[in-house]
Amino acid sequence: MDDFFPVILGSDENAYGNARLFYEAYGIRPLLLCERKLVATRYSRILTVQVIRDFTREEVFVKELLSVLRRQEKNGRKLLVIPCVDYYTELLVKNYDRFEGRIANRFLSKELLEKVATKVGFAELAGRYGLDTPCTVVVEPGQWDKALRELPFPFPVVAKPENSNVSAYLKAKIENRKKVYYLQDEAEFRELARSVEESSYAGRFVIQERIGGGDDAIRVANTYSDASGKVRLIAFGQALLGEHLPTEIGNNAAIISRYDKEIMDRIRNFLEAIGYVGIANFDMQVDSRSGRTVFYELNPRSARTSFFLRAAGCNLMKVLTDDVVYGKREECRYVSEKALWSNVPLCVLKEHVKDPELRKEIRELVKSGKYMQTRYNREDPDIRRLLVNIRYDIGQIRVHRKYDSK
């Protein structure tokens, strides 16, 4: 097939999942561009990886990506560029006009990205359109004591960098750095403040009220909006288990796809009202105290958990390609099939998911074949890759047992 060619930015599990979607739908081996090759794409036969030194630096990013686009553009085929982490999305959106019109798929505007890319900006925008967000205090650099004095809610609290995926935070040498911090008291608050202030990170933090509920109270949504801002796809899911490794807390380890038209309608209306374009990923939580759904953030890209759509019978990359390459635009699809996606072995779910109804659902979905993992792929059969995946699974078993009492 020579109608188009996908270029994926990143080499993590999200990048592998998107490459797998293209390969399954079209038999195409996408090109992955990254600063370093990660375990998730190691020994894969369904993709090609090109490592580019300093690829997260803006001028290097623009120069190297443009060079790749010029080489890959031939015989009029369209080029699709899929960012898999926030900093690539930011670089792509910020410099979109510098790529000589060679990228076929569109993204949200720079102005809108600036609003949704941070938790504070998203909360302001979401509130304007009737989406609930947690009560939040912004901590400016050097103002941790002031924030502590002015906290309008009691401990325990949740602390996060304003954007946990920006390069400045990911590269900062913060003691016990995490995506999300659950602080039980003032002493833990002050310890985090000390670690951040002593690091190179100069961005803002947010302190939020702790919303009631466990891992299975987390909800996610994935959407695709065309260039006109119309939502063409929306999928909704319930987390079963969160990652237990301290540096991974805040990421979901397993998801069951759900159909909740009321929430899905609210998300669709919000995206169309703000003129959003491209792929979006939402993180939410159902407050066990009030039953309200609280929206945490919008990620302007797919997530590694987005593969739960594939388990539910929907190929996100095919939806995008049908729209951009072939001009196929149907009415918005609400994914309704129930299925299970997991990043951990089934034995981990069996051991750590406690709710009887969820355990029953897991058994039924596995028995009926409605279960998938991103990493295990029959069309990518290298024995070295299988051994890497088995080693990863053993590590997951150990980590969840070690940190189960977190």
Side-chain angles (χ1 to χ4, degrees):
M1 181 173 291
D2 210 32
D3 298 328
F4 71 96
F5 185 74
V7 178
I8 296 174
L9 307 180
S11 65
D12 60 1
E13 188 171 342
N14 186 15
Y16 181 82
N18 286 330
R20 177 176 173 178
L21 293 176
F22 278 116
Y23 188 80
E24 288 182 353
Y26 305 104
I28 293 176
R29 292 178 171 81
L31 174 63
L32 276 59
L33 307 180
C34 57
E35 202 166 54
R36 61 190 181 97
K37 189 173 183 179
L38 301 178
V39 173
T41 47
R42 193 174 296 170
Y43 308 124
S44 174
R45 300 179 184 181
I46 66 168
L47 52 86
T48 302
V49 176
Q50 180 179 339
V51 176
I52 301 172
R53 184 176 180 181
D54 296 327
F55 193 51
T56 55
R57 288 176 51 195
E58 186 169 356
E59 290 307 314
V60 174
F61 176 85
V62 173
K63 177 184 176 183
E64 295 295 336
L65 178 55
L66 183 56
S67 175
V68 168
L69 295 174
R70 287 170 176 167
R71 290 198 307 271
Q72 293 295 337
E73 190 177 56
K74 56 185 178 181
N75 301 325
R77 70 176 178 179
K78 294 184 177 181
L79 301 179
L80 305 177
V81 178
I82 311 296
C84 293
V85 290
D86 286 347
Y87 47 84
Y88 287 143
T89 305
E90 182 179 350
L91 289 171
L92 191 59
V93 171
K94 182 179 178 181
N95 296 284
Y96 189 86
D97 293 337
R98 300 175 66 183
F99 295 111
E100 303 173 347
R102 297 174 186 273
I103 301 175
N105 52 315
R106 304 290 299 184
F107 301 88
L108 71 168
S109 67
K110 288 185 284 188
E111 295 74 20
L112 185 55
L113 177 63
E114 290 175 358
K115 294 177 182 178
V116 304
T118 66
K119 294 173 178 63
V120 175
F122 170 70
E124 292 174 353
L125 194 62
R128 201 180 307 164
Y129 292 93
L131 301 182
D132 289 333
T133 58
C135 185
T136 301
V137 172
V138 180
V139 184
E140 300 288 349
Q143 299 295 312
W144 287 81
D145 286 340
K146 179 176 182 292
L148 179 59
R149 291 194 302 271
E150 297 177 357
L151 276 184
F153 39 79
F155 286 94
V157 300
V158 179
K160 311 169 185 175
E162 190 176 31
N163 186 335
S164 58
N165 293 308
V166 296
S167 181
Y169 181 71
L170 295 174
K171 293 182 178 181
K173 294 182 179 180
I174 298 175
E175 186 178 342
N176 298 318
R177 176 169 53 82
K178 303 175 184 178
K179 180 180 178 180
V180 179
Y181 302 82
Y182 295 103
L183 308 178
Q184 300 301 316
D185 51 36
E186 183 177 324
E188 291 188 4
F189 184 100
R190 292 188 180 281
E191 179 60 24
L192 173 61
R194 180 195 63 78
S195 298
V196 173
E197 293 290 275
E198 290 178 356
S199 76
S200 61
Y201 180 67
R204 302 196 295 183
F205 256 71
V206 296
I207 311 299
Q208 296 177 330
E209 62 174 323
R210 182 75 181 265
I211 304 299
D215 288 348
D216 57 10
I218 298 296
R219 302 291 186 270
V220 298
N222 285 260
T223 66
Y224 172 71
S225 301
D226 65 26
S228 70
K230 293 293 183 182
V231 177
R232 297 297 173 182
L233 172 72
I234 181 165
F236 182 74
Q238 176 185 5
L240 303 177
L241 188 69
E243 295 285 1
H244 278 35
L245 190 69
T247 55
E248 294 291 319
I249 289 176
N251 293 323
N252 299 313
I255 291 173
I256 287 182
S257 54
R258 303 286 190 196
Y259 179 76
D260 186 326
K261 190 173 188 303
E262 189 270 331
I263 291 293
M264 295 163 92
D265 279 343
R266 290 174 65 190
I267 292 171
R268 178 183 179 181
N269 293 337
F270 169 71
L271 290 173
E272 293 185 348
I274 65 175
Y276 191 93
V277 175
I279 295 171
N281 166 249
F282 288 84
D283 288 332
M284 302 156 272
Q285 183 169 347
V286 177
D287 191 336
S288 61
R289 301 165 299 186
S290 64
R292 65 179 179 140
T293 299
V294 178
F295 286 74
Y296 286 126
E297 62 184 355
L298 184 168
N299 297 305
R301 51 166 175 81
S302 62
R304 76 171 181 179
T305 57
S306 298
F307 208 79
F308 86 85
L309 278 75
R310 176 63 185 84
C314 178
N315 185 318
L316 179 59
M317 292 301 111
K318 188 175 188 302
V319 172
L320 182 151
T321 303
D322 280 349
D323 171 39
V324 176
V325 178
Y326 300 111
K328 298 179 182 178
R329 291 185 176 179
E330 301 177 355
E331 285 300 308
C332 180
R333 176 182 176 183
Y334 285 59
V335 177
S336 58
E337 183 175 341
K338 186 189 296 185
L340 169 65
W341 168 87
S342 179
N343 189 49
V344 296
L346 287 173
C347 63
V348 171
L349 298 184
K350 182 177 180 181
E351 186 173 345
H352 299 280
V353 174
K354 306 300 183 183
D355 183 275
E357 289 301 316
L358 292 178
R359 292 170 63 89
K360 180 181 177 182
E361 278 191 284
I362 292 170
R363 291 194 299 270
E364 291 174 348
L365 289 170
V366 172
K367 185 176 180 180
S368 63
K370 296 180 179 179
Y371 161 67
M372 292 189 78
Q373 283 190 301
T374 310
R375 293 175 291 107
Y376 286 95
N377 181 4
R378 291 180 180 178
E379 296 185 40
D380 203 2
D382 193 296
I383 186 64
R384 296 169 298 176
R385 180 170 179 80
L386 176 62
L387 293 174
V388 167
N389 286 334
I390 292 172
R391 190 179 304 120
Y392 178 88
D393 284 347
I394 293 172
Q396 285 281 17
I397 294 169
R398 291 171 176 169
V399 163
H400 280 77
R401 286 177 178 170
K402 179 178 180 179
Y403 294 103
D404 188 45
S405 60
K406 73 180 191 305

